[in-house]
């Protein structure tokens, strides 16, 4: 059944000689795989390739079939052409990381319009932002947890508490069954970091080492709560970008 929808490209893999397999998070169908024909020569080749860049926002008509694992596309075009995201080296590194992260984190094959709206808003915000976006990926990941049902319980904090990454809550006693927890010094900053949003994050000054540690903790949290979530490669690029 052909249906118009919007989508965000997460990953493309070459398929046969003249096509790619594209993983797209769609507004109406969640995570979806598409077989896309890409001409090897001519003007259409470059145009179709540009449409399938990681995190490209697409408007398309898709043939969704309940029994199919791979679907077909037609009438694909850019929904919001980016003005800076693919061209600014720092933003491009963030986009590379987010595409890899979302590919592993978004497993739901069902409609989730609030989540799609959050993703689209976030990408457009980053594309339009001119400065002070070094904390963007931290805010993005922390707020994404709410849409995935993974938002930690930040209530009932008391000075000296640990934060249990597995139970996703504060505790006055260090967990004895596992080592996945934040010590009191780091736990005390958690609630403050979770209050960051895109408009206020510029007021939170973090060193490169502090930002890298925050990202390390957030990724550890996702690995504990998202089944089969792997160790990502792209965060290494981010560590060298911002001071």
């Amino acid at each position: 059944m052909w249906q118009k929808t919007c989508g965000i490209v997460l990953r493309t893999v070459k398929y046969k000689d003249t096509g790619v397999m594209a993983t797209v998070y769609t507004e109406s169908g969640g995570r979806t795989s598409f077989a896309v024909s890409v001409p090897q020569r001519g003007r259409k080749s470059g145009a179709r390739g540009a449409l399938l860049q990681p995190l490209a926002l697409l408007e398309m008509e898709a043939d969704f079939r309940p029994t199919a694992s791979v679907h077909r596309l037609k009438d694909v075009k850019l929904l919001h052409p980016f003005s800076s995201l693919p061209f600014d080296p720092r933003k491009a590194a963030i986009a590379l990381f987010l595409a890899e992260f979302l590919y592993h984190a978004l497993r739901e094959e069902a409609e989730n319009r609030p989540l799609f709206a959050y993703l689209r808003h976030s990408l457009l915000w980053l594309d339009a932002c001119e400065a002070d976006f070094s904390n963007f990926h931290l805010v993005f990941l922390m707020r994404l947890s709410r849409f995935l049902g993974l938002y930690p319980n930040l209530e009932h904090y008391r000075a000296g508490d640990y934060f249990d990454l597995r139970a996703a809550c504060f505790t006055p006693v260090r967990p004895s069954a596992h080592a996945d927890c934040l010590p009191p010094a780091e736990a005390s900053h958690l609630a403050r970091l979770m209050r960051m949003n895109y408009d206020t994050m510029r007021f939170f000054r973090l060193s490169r080492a502090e930002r890298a540690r925050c990202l390390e903790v957030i990724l550890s949290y996702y690995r504990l709560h998202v089944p089969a979530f792997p160790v990502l490669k792209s965060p290494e690029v981010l560590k060298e970008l911002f001071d």
Side-chain angles (χ1 to χ4, degrees):
M1 176 180 176
W2 290 99
Q3 178 181 348
K4 291 185 177 180
T5 189
C6 300
I8 299 171
V9 178
L10 303 181
R11 176 182 286 188
T12 58
V13 179
K14 188 174 181 180
Y15 175 67
K16 297 183 177 180
D17 294 329
T18 59
V20 298
M21 193 70 67
T23 303
V24 182
Y25 191 79
T26 65
E27 184 175 30
S28 59
R31 180 189 173 108
T32 310
S33 296
F34 296 100
V36 185
S37 176
V38 179
Q40 298 300 299
R41 298 179 181 179
R43 189 174 300 173
K44 290 186 178 180
S45 174
R48 181 58 66 90
L51 291 174
L52 298 174
Q53 294 299 310
L55 300 187
L57 292 165
L58 305 181
E59 186 177 9
M60 57 197 179
E61 192 169 355
D63 184 15
F64 289 104
R65 301 194 178 194
T67 59
S69 59
V70 179
H71 307 271
R72 292 183 295 164
L73 284 177
K74 70 176 182 180
D75 297 332
V76 184
K77 62 181 180 181
L78 288 175
L79 178 62
H80 296 288
F82 292 128
S83 60
S84 67
L85 193 57
F87 313 112
D88 183 304
R90 297 172 300 168
K91 291 184 179 182
I94 292 175
L96 176 66
F97 162 70
L98 293 184
E100 184 186 15
F101 177 91
L102 291 172
Y103 175 80
H104 294 288
L106 301 182
R107 295 292 183 179
E108 186 179 13
E109 296 179 351
E111 178 183 301
N112 189 334
R113 291 182 183 271
L115 172 56
F116 185 87
Y118 170 72
L119 298 176
R120 179 167 61 184
H121 165 74
S122 298
L123 295 176
L124 293 176
W125 190 96
L126 178 60
D127 186 58
C129 183
E130 297 180 354
D132 296 325
F133 53 83
S134 56
N135 292 328
F136 175 87
H137 54 296
L138 303 180
V139 175
F140 177 89
L141 297 185
M142 291 187 292
R143 294 193 167 267
L144 177 67
S145 66
R146 188 183 297 275
F147 293 92
L148 300 182
L150 305 176
Y151 197 76
N153 183 355
L154 302 178
E155 299 179 358
H156 311 303
Y157 168 74
R158 294 183 179 181
D161 279 356
Y162 295 83
F163 185 79
D164 188 328
L165 292 168
R166 295 197 180 195
C169 64
F170 291 107
T171 173
V173 181
R174 184 183 183 93
S176 58
H178 60 81
D180 297 313
C181 71
L182 298 181
E186 291 186 328
S188 66
H189 299 305
L190 185 60
R192 183 171 65 95
L193 290 174
M194 295 300 284
R195 288 197 301 269
M196 281 197 297
N197 58 47
Y198 297 145
D199 294 324
T200 64
M201 65 184 184
R202 67 182 184 275
F203 300 117
F204 292 75
R205 298 298 179 183
L206 300 176
S207 68
R208 180 184 295 177
E210 290 170 332
R211 190 173 294 108
R213 174 56 181 163
C214 288
L215 181 58
E216 179 184 355
V217 169
I218 294 171
L219 291 178
S220 295
Y221 182 80
Y222 273 96
R223 283 197 296 272
L224 289 169
H225 294 277
V226 177
F229 195 88
V231 176
L232 305 182
K233 299 178 181 179
S234 53
E236 294 300 320
V237 179
L238 294 178
K239 291 180 181 180
E240 304 302 322
L241 282 178
F242 302 107
D243 272 326

